[in-house]
Amino acid sequence: MEGTEVETAYRKLKSYVYYDKTDLRLRARLAAFECSEQFVARLKSVQDVADAETPANHAAFKRWLKNVGFRVVPKRLSPTPVGVKAQGRTDGRFITNVSSARTIGVEAVNYFFDGPIELHLIAVLWLMREGLHLDAQLAAECCGSRLSTELHDEDDDSLKLFSKYHEQYARWRDSGIRKAKQLLVEEQRNVAILGLDLQEYFYRVSIDFEEVADSVAEAKGFKPYGDSSLLGCIEAIGRAYRKCISPLLLKTHPDLDETVVGLPIGLCSSLVLANWYLQDFDAAVLRAVRPAYYGRYVDDILLVVPTAQDPTKDEDEPVASFVRELLVRPRILTSPKDGSYELCSRPGLRLQQTKCILQYFDARHSIAGLEKFKKKLEENGSDFLLLPVDEADNSMEDVAYELLYEGSVNKFRSVKGVAENRYELAKHLARQTILHLVTDDPPDRQVSRGLQMFFKGRNAIEFFDLWERVFTLLGIARDKTTLKVFTKQLKAEIARVRADDAAVTDQLVSDLSKHLNLALAMSDAVCEEDIGLSELIDDIHPEQYRRANLLRHHFVRAPLLNFTTYSGPLSDRKLAKSVKLDAHKLAYAPRFVNFDECMLLAYSGNVSIGKQSQFEFAAAVFEAANRHSPSGVKWIKTYDDAESESEGN
């Protein structure tokens, strides 16, 4: 299958999944797919469906549709009983660090697509054939989930599907702040920054697929689509998914229109369709409002507008007044009803009044707040895996919690509560893990106790996306005792999860339990020995992550060791004997392999390079993984190289 369209699509999908940090279910499915003995045959069946006269009517496609499923994750937890009582008290303020309770209530949930890898590949093929033409029509102000420009190259064989999400997000966020500062400092103009968030966007999108086909045809100049288009498959997948989640969706989102299919969260085609659906709204804002800056990151909207008047002047509701003048009067939004605005260009889509955020800066006053906010964004934008481990001695309590204040931070009475800091916690876990990789220190009992204390009650469920990082830290630190206790503790907390409906509760508990097992498997793929591929291919096995190379490469101690036949723990520092390269892992590398990594592998002594020089070996590894030879690199032989070659002969 090498060199075929579907093989390219598979490599793009694999890279897309590899860089995702949250959807472990899709990662597990992909690993099982690649480790299957029918891997090549299953790829060919996808190509056969894609090339059929009517792909949506193909027997294989209809068979895949029957296996469409979903997973449910907590979106918002209920306040603890103590917190509820505290809010209603008038005799003082009560603050506690207790997050445990008999039950952990879940107020809101999100649904994610879970289906056969074949359907994900159909979605990627649609993006490669047709979706790229929709993306090309989008304005530059649409910053999130944009497709890679390389898709437009006829001979594109790259791993890229979407542009790097962190770069897109940084551009969306920083450009607005930078423009606001320019207006304030250089032009001495007052500035308003308005943030808007579409309510339950993916559930409320009502796509007219004939309109989508017309839009693609307009971009290409002709319309040879209809039944032969993969767009029919995308529509069928969406309908099958909506039918699948409807019984629970009616209970968790009762105000949704049952006739609206929406878009499956977790299917890559949905991101492009979600962007395309709002392009008329983008155009209306740019035309009627003419903001100094407008940017949209999927369903998050940011506007920077110079304004002569303070929004709070003579107004009891400054945000509502500002939105009315800016967006309701030019008929971009309707007048608010039941606390929500509706988009005139796309009826059914809502903006909640309570989610509208307005910041006003007067050029005659200090802009220290904006400067501090900008500086904090820049700090958080750094890759903390590469930062020096200068906070290794900090306890979990030092980094995971932050005090919330009203007024001066120097007064005890100003403290209004304690909140968990997700970013600092993730950073702390990463630093501790890297510390163990570079030092071989024994397990730190203080860190272990801190983790057990933090991940209790609500915190255990609120931060379920960090379980894998904790398991990896404990695995690399070889703290098996805490690992067992921590796993048992999480299982007990999962059992306490409760939603308003019993069926939703059962689904939540089941999906969280599965996520726990997947997180353990991801940790084991790096920290444990590969004991061989299990025959139970559809179950969860660390070997599959390892064989498919879908583990976290930055926790592999020796560069590119995961691209070899080595079967011991990938967190090991030294190997007892040299190993060989794995041709399949190189051919289906999920990421770009840097040349310096190849050179480090060549010089490591972990692999046998035969009669090749280190440079020749590294160049061969680079080309096998990246499908092109290294450029801009020149090898100059030194006296030591010549000596080593003569000794080898």
Side-chain angles (χ1 to χ4, degrees):
M1 291 299 295
E2 188 171 346
T4 63
E5 182 188 30
V6 72
E7 196 263 351
T8 299
Y10 178 77
R11 292 175 63 248
K12 287 182 181 294
L13 175 64
K14 184 176 181 179
S15 183
Y16 171 72
V17 172
Y18 176 79
Y19 284 106
D20 181 85
K21 294 184 179 180
T22 56
D23 194 347
L24 298 187
R25 187 82 62 90
L26 176 54
R27 186 179 289 256
R29 278 188 176 273
L30 196 66
F33 182 88
E34 187 170 319
C35 293
S36 168
E37 293 180 357
Q38 292 80 42
F39 173 57
V40 174
R42 291 174 74 177
L43 282 181
K44 185 178 182 303
S45 67
V46 175
Q47 189 73 65
D48 291 342
V49 169
D51 293 340
E53 279 191 32
T54 55
N57 291 330
H58 197 285
F61 177 75
K62 290 184 175 181
R63 187 170 63 250
W64 301 332
L65 278 185
K66 292 179 181 178
N67 293 317
V68 165
F70 64 95
R71 61 186 178 94
V72 179
V73 300
K75 180 182 179 182
R76 185 174 64 253
L77 302 185
S78 306
T80 61
V82 170
V84 173
K85 292 176 183 176
Q87 290 174 8
R89 296 184 68 91
T90 58
D91 58 345
R93 178 179 294 161
F94 176 64
I95 300 170
T96 179
N97 66 340
V98 177
S99 62
S100 299
R102 187 170 57 85
T103 61
I104 303 171
V106 177
E107 283 187 348
V109 300
N110 262 331
Y111 295 82
F112 286 81
F113 179 83
D114 181 33
I117 291 300
E118 286 88 345
L119 295 182
H120 286 278
L121 285 171
I122 289 292
V124 174
L125 286 169
W126 176 76
L127 290 176
M128 291 167 60
R129 291 182 178 184
E130 304 171 26
L132 75 169
H133 299 296
L134 291 183
D135 181 81
Q137 297 175 32
L138 300 174
E141 287 78 9
C142 178
C143 303
S145 301
R146 297 301 300 268
L147 291 176
S148 168
T149 56
E150 294 192 28
L151 263 66
H152 290 271
D153 299 337
E154 288 187 11
D155 57 348
D156 174 35
D157 191 32
S158 70
L159 295 175
K160 297 176 182 177
L161 184 59
F162 289 91
S163 299
K164 294 178 181 178
Y165 73 91
H166 59 278
E167 292 180 358
Q168 297 176 71
Y169 186 82
R171 180 167 67 88
W172 170 73
R173 175 200 66 198
D174 297 343
S175 297
I177 302 300
R178 195 159 43 243
K179 187 62 181 178
K181 184 180 176 183
Q182 177 190 330
L183 290 170
L184 285 164
V185 177
E186 297 179 15
E187 301 182 25
Q188 290 293 300
R189 301 174 73 185
N190 302 341
V191 169
I193 303 175
L194 179 65
L196 306 171
D197 178 43
L198 287 164
Q199 181 185 1
E200 299 168 336
Y201 178 53
F202 281 80
Y203 302 100
R204 298 179 182 275
V205 171
S206 183
I207 297 282
D208 180 341
F209 282 89
E210 187 62 33
E211 184 185 350
V212 176
D214 289 339
S215 189
V216 173
E218 182 181 342
K220 289 193 64 122
F222 59 93
K223 187 179 180 180
Y225 296 104
D227 293 337
S228 65
S229 170
L230 286 177
L231 188 60
C233 292
I234 302 302
E235 181 178 9
I237 294 171
R239 292 191 179 280
Y241 171 72
R242 180 57 186 256
K243 183 178 179 181
C244 185
I245 66 174
S246 280
L248 289 189
L249 194 66
L250 288 171
K251 299 171 181 178
T252 58
H253 297 69
D255 61 330
L256 292 180
D257 185 342
E258 293 183 44
T259 64
V260 175
V261 175
L263 289 171
I265 302 174
L267 191 68
C268 59
S269 55
S270 297
L271 296 171
V272 171
L273 289 170
N275 274 338
W276 170 85
Y277 195 68
L278 285 174
Q279 64 176 341
D280 287 345
F281 174 80
D282 296 341
V285 172
L286 291 169
R287 181 180 60 253
V289 178
R290 299 172 67 89
Y293 172 80
Y294 171 77
R296 177 170 61 82
Y297 194 88
V298 189
D299 57 348
D300 284 325
I301 299 160
L302 187 67
L303 294 96
V304 175
V305 184
T307 177
Q309 184 174 336
D310 185 340
T312 61
K313 192 174 182 180
D314 300 325
E315 289 288 350
D316 295 329
E317 297 180 331
V319 180
S321 173
F322 188 82
V323 172
R324 182 172 62 249
E325 291 299 317
L326 194 73
L327 299 171
V328 174
R329 191 178 294 279
R331 298 185 180 179
I332 296 171
L333 300 179
T334 64
S335 296
K337 183 180 180 182
D338 299 326
S340 296
Y341 301 97
E342 194 171 53
L343 273 62
C344 295
S345 58
R346 293 295 187 186
L349 294 186
R350 302 177 184 173
L351 288 168
Q352 284 183 284
Q353 280 186 301
T354 55
K355 294 288 185 71
C356 298
I357 300 174
L358 178 63
Q359 298 183 60
Y360 174 72
F361 295 92
D362 192 312
R364 296 168 299 177
H365 293 263
S366 171
I367 62 167
L370 184 64
E371 289 281 9
K372 187 174 181 180
F373 182 57
K374 183 175 180 291
K375 184 177 180 181
K376 191 66 177 176
L377 291 176
E378 290 170 352
E379 290 174 356
N380 290 354
S382 302
D383 184 357
F384 53 75
L385 280 177
L386 301 179
L387 293 177
V389 189
D390 56 0
E391 296 179 10
D393 295 332
N394 287 1
S395 69
M396 182 64 63
E397 290 78 10
D398 288 335
V399 300
Y401 295 100
E402 61 180 349
L403 293 176
L404 304 180
Y405 296 93
E406 283 181 343
S408 172
V409 298
N410 298 316
K411 296 179 180 179
F412 178 76
R413 65 174 180 269
S414 296
V415 177
K416 68 173 184 177
V418 181
E420 294 78 14
N421 189 322
R422 179 183 297 272
Y423 175 78
E424 290 298 331
L425 176 58
K427 186 165 68 173
H428 183 69
L429 290 171
R431 286 181 169 178
Q432 287 291 335
T433 306
I434 296 299
L435 181 64
H436 281 288
L437 278 175
V438 300
T439 63
D440 279 331
D441 284 350
D444 187 330
R445 296 303 171 194
Q446 183 180 353
V447 172
S448 301
R449 284 194 298 271
L451 287 170
Q452 289 175 252
M453 291 176 65
F454 180 83
F455 283 89
K456 282 186 176 181
R458 286 169 48 87
N459 285 355
I461 307 304
E462 181 101 31
F463 297 94
F464 75 94
D465 55 326
L466 296 181
W467 292 348
E468 180 202 332
R469 302 190 194 198
V470 177
F471 291 143
T472 303
L473 167 59
L474 296 175
I476 289 176
R478 301 187 185 280
D479 191 352
K480 292 187 179 294
T481 301
T482 303
L483 187 61
K484 289 180 180 179
V485 173
F486 186 73
T487 303
K488 184 178 179 181
Q489 178 177 314
L490 289 182
K491 288 179 178 179
E493 300 296 0
I494 290 172
R496 295 189 178 96
V497 169
R498 296 289 184 276
D500 291 338
D501 181 84
V504 178
T505 295
D506 292 344
Q507 187 70 42
L508 272 170
V509 170
S510 174
D511 287 337
L512 285 169
S513 298
K514 183 119 180 179
H515 182 81
L516 177 65
N517 291 333
L518 290 168
L520 280 166
M522 280 293 291
S523 170
D524 287 351
V526 173
C527 306
E528 298 295 326
E529 188 169 349
D530 183 358
I531 58 174
L533 192 60
S534 169
E535 294 179 1
L536 300 174
I537 204 70
D538 289 324
D539 208 341
I540 302 166
H541 297 283
E543 309 96 272
Q544 292 174 354
Y545 287 130
R546 188 154 171 167
R547 297 292 177 88
N549 226 344
L550 283 167
L551 41 76
R552 312 291 184 193
H553 80 272
H554 42 270
F555 296 133
V556 178
R557 177 169 272 164
L560 302 188
L561 187 60
N562 52 310
F563 284 88
T564 71
T565 57
Y566 179 64
S567 60
L570 292 169
S571 55
D572 280 354
R573 184 180 295 277
K574 293 182 179 179
L575 278 60
K577 59 181 180 179
S578 63
V579 293
K580 297 179 180 179
L581 289 170
D582 188 313
H584 177 86
K585 289 180 179 178
L586 285 169
Y588 288 93
R591 67 177 181 90
F592 180 80
V593 175
N594 295 293
F595 188 73
D596 63 325
E597 295 177 281
C598 301
M599 288 296 290
L600 287 170
L601 177 66
Y603 275 98
S604 67
N606 292 332
V607 291
S608 174
I609 67 173
K611 294 183 178 181
Q612 294 174 294
S613 69
Q614 283 88 351
F615 177 77
E616 290 169 337
F617 175 84
V621 172
F622 181 93
E623 186 167 357
N626 300 320
R627 303 193 171 211
H628 62 84
S629 57
S631 59
V633 180
K634 187 177 181 180
W635 182 250
I636 301 175
K637 284 189 177 181
T638 64
Y639 175 78
D640 291 336
D641 294 322
E643 283 288 304
S644 62
E645 283 185 12
S646 63
E647 289 175 7
N649 293 330

